[in-house]
């Protein structure tokens, strides 16, 4: 496994297993397969309603907890100073662990600057090993940074060859922020995988176009979470650690015209306030 170092020295595996939109039953079936294949970095959230199943799969694996890197996220309803620490403790209880390796603010709405100060307290208390943001645009990232004693160590955003985030990465480079990418394969966009720079690199290395996209992201220093319930695809995803794209191939993929698949709204969409209680695990 390739690891990246966060600004506080914590090592984060470059390849993770994401459980977004997976039911608890699907997690119970497929996360053990991922663990058997070699995944140790697992990305969940209280808003995924499957933290309990994730925790059970980790414990039942028989692998020591410290060999896993667990990420979870807080939802805006819990960002207030009076509620945030309780929400952190509730996630830890659902996961059945004393700490998570990374805690993120999931969405850029509500009193997120208040939540950041509580996250710093959780970091100091050893409840989390690293803290960061998810889906935060540059100007809201700066609002958090203005109140922070600990700068965000991770930023999770859309990241793929059609949304390469190279400009934002350059802006945040002085802070040592590690980027994590969702939609690493363009939200199932078959056309993306057929683009000439990706297809040519796949042919040159004898790999699948999806593997080229994942390898491109990792070579840019990004963490990726390709979602799959297929054991074969799990093995293929891990195999991207076994080859390297050339500088020319990287540059050609970087030059793909940008067209993000999703734009995070400035104001909170309706679903932000429509989430069921997070202890109602699906």
């Amino acid at each position: 496994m390739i690891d990246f170092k966060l600004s506080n020295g914590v090592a984060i595996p470059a390849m993770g297993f994401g459980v977004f939109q997976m039911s608890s039953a699907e997690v119970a079936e497929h996360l053990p397969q991922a663990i058997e294949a070699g995944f140790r970095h697992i990305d969940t959230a209280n808003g995924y309603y499957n933290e309990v199943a994730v925790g059970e799969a980790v414990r039942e694996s028989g692998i020591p907890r410290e060999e896993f890197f667990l990420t979870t996220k807080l939802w805006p309803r819990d960002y207030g100073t009076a509620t945030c620490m309780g929400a952190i403790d509730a996630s830890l209880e659902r996961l059945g662990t004393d700490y998570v390796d990374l805690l993120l603010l999931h969405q850029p709405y509500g009193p997120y600057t208040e939540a950041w100060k509580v996250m710093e307290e959780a970091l100091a208390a050893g409840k989390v090993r690293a803290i960061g943001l998810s889906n935060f645009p540059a100007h809201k990232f700066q609002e958090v940074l203005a109140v922070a004693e600990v700068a965000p160590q991770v930023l999770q955003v859309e990241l793929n060859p059609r949304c390469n985030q190279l400009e934002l990465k350059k802006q945040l480079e002085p802070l040592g922020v590690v980027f994590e990418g969702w939609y690493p394969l363009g939200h199932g966009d078959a056309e993306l995988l057929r683009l000439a720079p990706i297809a040519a690199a796949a042919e040159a290395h004898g790999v699948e176009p999806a593997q080229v996209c994942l390898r491109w992201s990792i070579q840019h220093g990004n963490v990726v979470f390709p979602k799959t319930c297929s054991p074969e695809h799990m093995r293929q995803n891990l195999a991207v650690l076994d080859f390297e794209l050339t500088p020319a191939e990287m540059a050609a993929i970087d030059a793909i015209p940008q067209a993000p698949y999703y734009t995070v709204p400035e104001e909170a969409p309706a679903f932000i306030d429509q989430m069921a209680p997070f202890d109602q695990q699906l």
Side-chain angles (χ1 to χ4, degrees):
M1 179 59 68
I2 296 173
D3 290 336
F4 302 131
K5 284 292 182 70
L6 302 181
S7 59
N8 64 350
V10 169
I12 182 170
M15 176 70 71
F17 187 77
V19 296
F20 176 56
Q21 293 184 331
M22 291 178 66
S23 68
S24 293
E26 289 172 325
V27 170
E29 179 180 0
H30 299 297
L31 181 52
Q33 296 170 341
I35 292 171
E36 182 178 0
F39 285 89
R40 297 294 181 268
H41 184 178
I42 305 164
D43 179 88
T44 185
N46 53 24
Y48 296 172
Y49 295 93
N50 55 25
E51 288 174 307
V52 171
V54 167
E56 289 175 349
V58 168
R59 289 191 301 278
E60 291 173 4
S61 72
I63 297 169
R65 164 67 183 90
E66 59 269 20
E67 294 188 21
F68 286 94
F69 191 101
L70 294 183
T71 297
T72 195
K73 312 176 191 74
L74 300 177
W75 199 251
R77 72 163 60 140
D78 294 322
Y79 286 0
T81 302
T83 56
C84 191
M85 192 63 79
I88 294 171
D89 291 337
S91 273
L92 294 178
E93 183 176 356
R94 287 190 291 268
L95 286 163
T97 184
D98 294 332
Y99 69 97
V100 291
D101 298 277
L102 175 62
L103 182 65
L104 305 176
L105 297 183
H106 201 158
Q107 299 284 351
Y109 310 113
Y112 44 80
T113 56
E114 291 182 26
W116 188 257
K117 300 309 293 181
V118 178
M119 298 248 287
E120 291 179 335
E121 294 176 19
L123 181 66
K127 295 181 180 182
V128 302
R129 298 177 66 224
I131 51 179
L133 304 171
S134 174
N135 297 309
F136 275 63
H139 67 285
K140 291 186 177 182
F141 186 104
Q142 291 298 326
E143 290 175 10
V144 171
L145 195 60
V147 304
E149 294 181 39
V150 178
Q153 291 147 343
V154 169
L155 179 60
Q156 187 175 118
V157 290
E158 180 184 349
L159 213 163
N160 54 64
R162 279 186 163 153
C163 184
N164 60 36
Q165 301 288 1
L166 292 179
E167 182 177 343
L168 183 57
K169 285 171 64 70
K170 185 176 181 179
Q171 291 177 27
L172 299 183
E173 186 176 5
L175 297 174
V177 178
V178 169
F179 277 61
E180 296 183 332
W182 48 262
Y183 284 0
L185 302 178
H187 197 39
D189 181 8
E191 181 184 348
L192 172 68
L193 302 182
R194 290 194 292 266
L195 292 178
I198 295 172
E203 183 176 1
H205 294 275
V207 299
E208 296 296 325
Q211 292 174 295
V212 170
C213 291
L214 297 176
R215 181 67 207 191
W216 164 85
S217 195
I218 287 173
Q219 281 187 222
H220 271 306
N222 306 318
V223 176
V224 293
F225 300 103
K227 180 187 174 184
T228 181
C229 292
S230 162
E232 176 59 28
H233 287 166
M234 294 174 193
R235 289 188 287 272
Q236 287 180 356
N237 291 342
L238 287 174
V240 307
L241 306 174
D242 299 334
F243 72 96
E244 186 170 342
L245 299 173
T246 67
E249 290 167 339
M250 290 290 291
I253 297 172
D254 289 351
I256 289 172
Q258 298 297 279
Y261 294 90
Y262 180 74
T263 299
V264 177
E266 181 67 19
E267 301 298 326
F271 72 85
I272 294 294
D273 295 322
Q274 294 174 347
M275 302 289 279
F278 296 128
D279 58 359
Q280 296 181 8
Q281 301 286 284
L282 303 177

